[in-house]
Amino acid sequence: MLTVSIVTYHTDDDELRECFASLNSPLVDDIIVIDNSRTPSTREICESTPKVTYIPSDNIGYGRAHNIALRQSVEKGQRYHLVLNSDVSFDPAILGKIARYMDDNPETGTLQPAIFYPDGRPQYTCRLLPTPADLLARRFLPEKWVEKINYRYLLQASDRVHTLNLPQHQGSFMFMRVNALKDVGLFDERFFLYGEDVDLTRRIHEKYLTIFWPEVTATHKHREESYYKWRPLVTHVVNLFRYFNKWGWIFDSGRKRYNARAIRALESEMNGSKS
């Protein structure tokens, strides 16, 4: 029923073991690890863990590496595929709950649970589609200056208790219907790292529901390296330019339409909670 893919790059051994423990579920048929750093300890852990297939790789990028596993899911006729970061952990029981939700709601193309930092703070991983100001201002202006931008873009008004159809999911945990991927395609391999998750969720959102489902939760360490290391920062900026070159910088009718719909849904849920 479910294939899981994890892309590693000099990944911490204990972190990977914790991630594997989260996948101890009868729903998981196989776990495919694409190691973009060819780390010997990663290979040893994978080869000693049931259901895990280890694929050594050059550093080919996040989306392109996941596509190796996604193509296998398509070819095998899997029902679902989970794209997962190695720094994410959760109760394995949530996988069954998500699969049942997806079974009961066939119009749902991808689903993301509520995700939290290890200290319990919420991560706003389901968002509006970005404008250039949303992303570039958040990278280069002081946090105090962009509070209003963050509040809207990250949908911080949400009380995170309602199921919502939102057009952007972060790539740390993407539980996807394989038939939807057959319909819209896999990760766009022009994105080396960053932006590929926004692009894929958006393409799924055009034809299916892309659901934030807070009935289940996961923990994500999320180091946000592009905020304090120059190489990830450069990579992030380059891929932001690729995203906006693809979809539009100022004029993007889809962004306007999907964001307006998401805001209306959020306002409706919030008003319902107050009544």
Side-chain angles (χ1 to χ4, degrees):
M1 173 182 283
L2 175 64
T3 293
V4 182
S5 59
I6 302 168
V7 174
T8 57
Y9 185 75
H10 299 297
T11 296
D12 179 81
D13 292 347
D14 289 337
E15 176 182 284
L16 185 60
R17 291 189 184 98
E18 184 178 10
C19 184
F20 283 165
S22 300
L23 299 172
N24 184 21
S25 166
L27 271 70
V28 176
D29 293 326
D30 49 11
I31 304 163
I32 301 174
V33 175
I34 303 92
D35 183 12
N36 278 355
S37 56
R38 299 175 181 263
T39 303
S41 60
T42 298
R43 181 172 195 145
E44 291 173 7
I45 293 169
C46 291
E47 291 181 344
S48 64
T49 305
K51 298 185 180 180
V52 175
T53 300
Y54 176 82
I55 300 177
S57 175
D58 296 326
N59 189 12
I60 59 175
Y62 183 84
R64 185 178 175 188
H66 273 295
N67 279 351
I68 294 172
L70 287 166
R71 289 190 185 96
Q72 293 189 29
S73 283
V74 170
E75 291 168 2
K76 290 168 59 177
Q78 283 286 62
R79 188 180 305 173
Y80 300 119
H81 188 107
L82 173 60
V83 164
L84 186 67
N85 276 16
S86 62
D87 59 351
V88 173
S89 59
F90 47 85
D91 182 340
I94 76 169
L95 297 176
K97 295 177 181 178
I98 293 173
R100 286 191 291 274
Y101 180 93
M102 298 282 280
D103 287 345
D104 293 340
N105 297 273
E107 71 280 8
T108 300
T110 184
L111 181 148
Q112 188 157 94
I115 298 178
F116 296 86
Y117 290 101
D119 63 7
R121 290 178 295 126
Q123 289 183 24
Y124 296 97
T125 57
C126 294
R127 310 170 177 182
L128 299 179
L129 290 176
T131 66
D134 290 331
L135 297 186
L136 296 176
R138 294 181 72 234
R139 285 291 176 274
F140 299 110
L141 296 180
E143 186 175 347
K144 193 71 176 177
W145 293 12
V146 294
E147 284 182 350
K148 290 184 178 179
I149 289 176
N150 281 338
Y151 188 80
R152 179 183 181 278
Y153 170 58
L154 301 179
L155 298 171
Q156 291 178 347
S158 170
D159 54 15
R160 299 183 64 77
V161 298
H162 296 102
T163 299
L164 294 169
N165 178 32
L166 300 177
Q168 182 192 158
H169 292 182
Q170 186 195 71
S172 58
F173 187 116
M174 300 175 75
F175 197 106
M176 297 182 285
R177 188 180 303 279
V178 173
N179 279 342
L181 294 172
K182 290 180 182 178
D183 193 7
V184 307
L186 309 181
F187 283 113
D188 186 335
E189 296 183 3
R190 289 174 292 181
F191 298 94
F192 180 80
L193 178 65
Y194 307 116
E196 69 287 303
D197 48 356
V198 186
D199 173 78
L200 180 55
T201 311
R202 174 181 181 143
R203 285 186 280 121
I204 297 173
H205 188 76
E206 290 178 341
K207 296 187 175 184
Y208 300 85
L209 300 181
T210 51
I211 293 296
F212 166 71
W213 196 50
E215 298 298 317
V216 294
T217 64
T219 300
H220 181 205
K221 294 184 176 67
H222 195 34
R223 297 176 183 85
E224 298 180 324
E225 291 185 340
S226 67
Y227 280 87
Y228 58 89
K229 292 185 178 180
W230 72 270
R231 284 185 183 275
L233 174 61
V234 171
T235 301
H236 204 156
V237 171
V238 167
N239 284 281
L240 293 183
F241 272 70
R242 287 174 177 156
Y243 175 84
F244 291 118
N245 284 341
K246 178 175 181 177
W247 292 104
W249 287 77
I250 304 302
F251 300 105
D252 181 347
S253 60
R255 176 177 66 206
K256 182 178 180 180
R257 183 168 65 257
Y258 300 142
N259 285 353
R261 182 170 63 190
I263 290 171
R264 286 196 301 270
L266 176 59
E267 291 174 345
S268 174
E269 294 290 357
M270 297 300 293
N271 290 335
S273 297
K274 294 175 183 178
S275 61

